[in-house]
Amino acid sequence: MLSRRTLLTALATTPLLAACGSGESTALDPSATPKLDGVTLKILANQPNALSFKYLAEPFEKATGAKLDVTPIPYDQLTSKAVLDVQSGAGRFDVFMYWYAAVGTLAQGGVIEDLTAYIKAHKDIDEADFLPSLYDTYTRWDGRRWGLPYDGDTHILFYNTELFARHRVEAPKTWEEYNEVSAKITKDARGKYYGAIIEAQQVPVILGCAFANRLAGYGGSFLDADGLPTLDTPEAIAAAQVLFDAAPSALPTPLQIGFDQALPAFLDGKGAMLDFWTDFAKRAQDPQQSKVVDKWAVTTLPVGGDNTTPRTSLDAGFGLAVSTASKQKEAAAAFIKWATLAQQNLLVLSKPDAGADPIRTSTLDSPKFRTYSPDSYEVVRTGLAGDPLPWPTVPKSPQLLQTLVDELALGLQGRQTAKASLQNAQRAWEKQLKKGTSG
């Protein structure tokens, strides 16, 4: 079974395609009041979040008379399916769920509607309540807004309290301490279990997250304020180095470890630390899935170098957008507005299998959310309410991120240094971004 976060691994090979074949579709009218009673809206959704729409379907139909028809697909097909639906002229879907890093790809490709005017015309969307750490990153490209946030995602550090007590170690505050703790536990355990689980399969959502978590901890970034790559900075090189240094004491073999290997290993007590998405807390505490019930805790991701302020990374995260090929765009926009309101966000947050995280300040601060996630609430709040590291959202982001993890993988194999890995990635990003700018 796929875990919640098997995210869009094929995006790096998905070409940017111009939309065509949607000539029968008319532009979205921001001021129109759509007739919803009797309408069926078709939604393309990633599989692990599909149940969230099940929980929304009944109250949406009760409120409007409209039905939802949800098609769940694997993460690695999400963006390419949206592009194909519009480009081919099929127009099967009204609403696309999208990974925020692909917003530029979809917008430039003519796949999703510009919602700037719609959002301005509908004050009840309550823009100010969206988490500042998410809103622009998830929805803006080229000065326009292309969707609304639906699922806010960050990583936190899970650790096995029983193993930590046995080996007399404490939760690490720095990535260097993380490596020291991992090395000690692995050495003492003599193969029975390992100090850390590092996911390093050679795709952006896996190895990219492992690097991004450390990059955030060292105070680094992917791009600067002018959109230029910053991969060869001391902070980025240090982040890669501390990742490479962690690999020898991690569950073998990091480059072969993805979600399907990492999660069972932690739940079986085979690894003492795992940086992962916040909703994993519910699985760790489920006795039907976990052997570490009441034997785990969470903390903020460690820091590194001169940075002393804990910072997480926006690893994944999703928005909802209107398809340019939809024949009922106003109804689709009305659903997106409704589905992202605070009341609906709280509803899906209450469901352990909805794969949902806060998108609004009011829901993040809500006492109800605290009751839904008592073990991880404070750490989640620290990450989302702070200044998490955004991933690139330019149209070439999928290709850029794949290039980065390819270079990091060579470093993890011992074939090049951390400095060489990131200098190579820096040059490749500069070339690609320059090419994109020049057309």
Side-chain angles (χ1 to χ4, degrees), residues 32-74:
T33 302
K35 177 181 178 297
L36 292 172
D37 191 17
V39 167
T40 297
L41 292 172
K42 295 185 177 182
I43 301 171
L44 185 69
N46 56 301
Q47 283 177 336
N49 286 95
L51 282 176
S52 67
F53 296 104
K54 174 184 176 182
Y55 296 122
L56 294 178
E58 184 176 344
F60 185 63
E61 183 174 6
K62 183 176 181 180
T64 66
K67 296 181 181 292
L68 303 181
D69 181 359
V70 180
T71 299
I73 63 169

Side-chain angles (χ1 to χ4, degrees), residues 33 133 275 330 417:
T33 302
S133 60
D275 41 306
E330 290 77 19
T417 65

Side-chain angles (χ1 to χ4, degrees), residues 159-164 166-167 185-186 189 191-197 251 261-274 280 283-284 289-293 295-296:
Y159 63 97
N160 185 310
T161 54
E162 182 179 56
L163 296 183
F164 269 47
R166 182 181 303 165
H167 295 275
I185 292 176
T186 297
K192 293 181 180 180
Y193 45 83
Y194 297 86
I197 301 170
L251 178 75
Q261 296 77 33
L263 303 192
F266 187 86
L267 295 175
D268 287 344
K270 299 298 184 182
M273 292 184 287
L274 172 66
F280 181 56
R283 290 185 63 179
Q289 304 182 63
S290 174
K291 296 179 181 178
V292 296
V293 173
K295 298 176 183 178
W296 62 274

Side-chain angles (χ1 to χ4, degrees), residues 245 360 364:
D245 291 344
R360 290 180 173 272
L364 184 65

